[in-house]
């Protein structure tokens, strides 16, 4: 049989082994068996789920269905949250397969949605996915705090696009932590987007060039570890960069929560300042939790802050529910992204918390919009902001 695109052995097996059971859309008893697949919640039918997309991918592969804008409109609803991979007991690699099919849609000339086309063009041209005139990449850091990069940095701080241009409180908090702890670090305005918007839009070839550039920039700094406040950027470096650049980078990759936990274990991070007695809850970013298996570190740090009264949301850890900020959903389908964020915010509010914490700039951005619609005074922070405050002046 003629096949319409090349596929790895693993993904080929996955595509054929899918039993169409539909379990991928649901969480286990810890999630009250409620749906965890954002696109299935919104699309309602089986086609709008990992199982449905597996069948679609197979039909496309076998030439039984055409690559079309209708196919595109289903695939780009996927937030890449990975809940299907956790809940499917049969196969793995769902998100990679869907991204491969997006790549084939692009190869076969199916146009992207206009909003996604702009994201790709901006990223290629400006090395960040945003339109309009952008400030300098390091402009988030006030001039008086800028210093020459350390000659022997302990870590390279890779800031990422959302933090550099939108959620600038996060990098300021993280730099504050590093400075207070006396940790020599490097940042670099030659940093480019991690390539995730390109990869998830089906433009893997372009994303590879971003990987080569970013690894060169970090290796030039001489740091043995790169630390990321964005889980998606960290995921790109951990999971995809080694294959794209055809070698292991000469530095370790750590999300900020892993790094802060390590500093705490070494006795270097001491959170002595008590915060106002606040009920807080934590949202697991999909690319940190399910993507990298990091669930304990953020909870340990959060609960070590004096004055924090911690409540767990109903759906948590591997059964956490996506805030709608993943994949390219907010740019392509902003109303759906907002509705998903509101569902998550209401669930977090039900814990009794007035403070929502995450460890991802994109989650913070999306949850902030939803928090405004939730009754009562609700605030959203990144964990780095709380840690910076708990370190005191
Ligand atoms: S992807 Fe897994 S859980 Fe979903 S329908 Fe296929 S076999 Fe079942
Ligand atoms: S990655 Fe998330 S949104 Fe996409 S199919 Fe899987 S569960 Fe659904």
């Amino acid at each position: 049989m003629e096949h319409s695109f090349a596929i790895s052995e693993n993904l080929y097996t996955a595509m054929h082994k899918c039993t169409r059971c539909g379990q991928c859309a649901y969480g286990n008893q810890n999630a009250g068996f409620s749906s965890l697949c954002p696109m299935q919640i919104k699309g309602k039918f089986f086609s709008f789920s990992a199982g449905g997309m597996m069948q679609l991918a197979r039909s496309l592969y076998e030439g039984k269905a055409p690559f079309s804008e209708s196919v595109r409109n289903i695939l780009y609803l996927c937030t890449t949250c990975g809940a299907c991979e956790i809940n499917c007991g049969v196969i793995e690699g769902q998100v990679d397969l869907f991204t491969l099919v997006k790549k084939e849609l692009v190869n076969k000339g199916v146009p992207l949605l206009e909003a996604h086309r702009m994201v790709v063009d901006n990223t290629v041209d400006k090395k960040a996915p945003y339109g309009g005139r952008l400030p300098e990449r390091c402009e988030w850091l006030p001039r008086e705090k800028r210093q020459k990069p350390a000659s022997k940095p302990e870590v390279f701080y890779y800031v990422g696009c959302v933090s550099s241009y939108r959620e600038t409180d996060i990098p300021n908090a993280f730099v504050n932590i590093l400075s207070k702890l006396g940790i020599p670090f490097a940042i670099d305005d030659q940093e480019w987007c991690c390539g995730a918007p390109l990869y998830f839009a089906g433009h893997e070839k372009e994303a590879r060039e971003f990987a080569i550039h970013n690894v060169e920039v970090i290796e030039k700094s001489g740091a043995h570890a790169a630390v990321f406040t964005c889980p998606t950027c960290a995921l790109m470096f951990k999971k995809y960069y080694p294959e794209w650049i055809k070698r292991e980078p000469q530095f370790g990759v750590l999300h900020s929560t892993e790094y802060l936990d390590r500093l705490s274990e070494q006795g270097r991070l001491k959170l002595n300042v008590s915060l106002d007695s606040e009920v807080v809850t934590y949202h697991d970013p999909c690319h940190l939790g399910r993507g990298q298996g990091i669930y304990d570190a953020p909870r340990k740090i959060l609960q070590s802050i004096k004055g924090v009264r911690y409540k767990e949301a109903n759906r948590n850890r591997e059964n956490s529910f996506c805030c709608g900020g993943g994949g390219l959903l907010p740019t392509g389908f902003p109303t759906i992204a907002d509705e998903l964020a509101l569902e998550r915010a209401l669930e977090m509010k039900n814990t009794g918390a007035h403070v929502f914490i995450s460890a991802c700039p994109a989650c913070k951005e999306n949850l902030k919009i939803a928090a405004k619609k939730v009754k009562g005074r609700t605030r959203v922070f990144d964990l780095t902001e709380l840690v910076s405050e708990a370190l005191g002046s």
Side-chain angles (χ1 to χ4, degrees), residues 17-24 46 50-51 54 87-91 94:
K17 271 194 171 173
C18 172
T19 59
R20 309 177 201 190
C21 62
Q23 183 55 39
C24 42
F46 180 69
M54 297 303 277
N87 288 302
C88 172
V90 184
I91 51 178
Q94 284 88 335

Side-chain angles (χ1 to χ4, degrees), residues 37-39 50 53 78-84 95 98:
C37 171
M39 71 181 297
M53 291 202 292
C78 170
T79 67
T80 73
C81 74
C84 49
V95 175
F98 307 150

Side-chain angles (χ1 to χ4, degrees), residues 297-310:
R299 287 176 170 79
K300 265 168 70 188
I301 299 162
L302 194 48
Q303 291 176 71
S304 72
I305 299 174
K306 292 173 188 160
V308 160
R309 287 184 291 147
Y310 184 70

Side-chain angles (χ1 to χ4, degrees), residues 62-80:
E62 292 174 351
K64 292 176 181 162
F67 287 83
S68 65
E69 292 183 22
S70 310
V71 171
R72 174 201 68 192
N73 293 346
I74 295 176
L75 276 169
Y76 283 78
L77 280 171
C78 170
T79 67
T80 73

Side-chain angles (χ1 to χ4, degrees), residues 230-299:
C230 175
T232 302
C233 301
L235 183 68
M236 287 291 125
F237 274 73
K238 283 182 182 176
K239 185 173 177 186
Y240 300 103
Y241 274 26
E243 188 201 323
W244 291 350
I245 68 170
K246 298 186 173 46
R247 66 177 174 86
E248 287 295 328
Q250 292 165 18
F251 51 84
V253 176
L254 293 168
H255 183 258
S256 50
T257 53
E258 288 179 287
Y259 183 59
L260 292 173
D261 186 39
R262 191 175 285 187
L263 292 175
S264 176
E265 301 242 306
Q266 291 168 349
R268 295 166 76 190
L269 179 72
K270 294 192 176 76
L271 303 175
N272 294 323
V273 176
S274 179
L275 303 187
D276 286 346
S277 183
E278 293 271 22
V279 182
V280 308
T281 188
Y282 174 70
H283 167 74
D284 289 276
C286 300
H287 288 169
L288 186 65
R290 288 185 287 257
Q292 297 171 61
I294 299 172
Y295 300 109
D296 292 332
R299 287 176 170 79

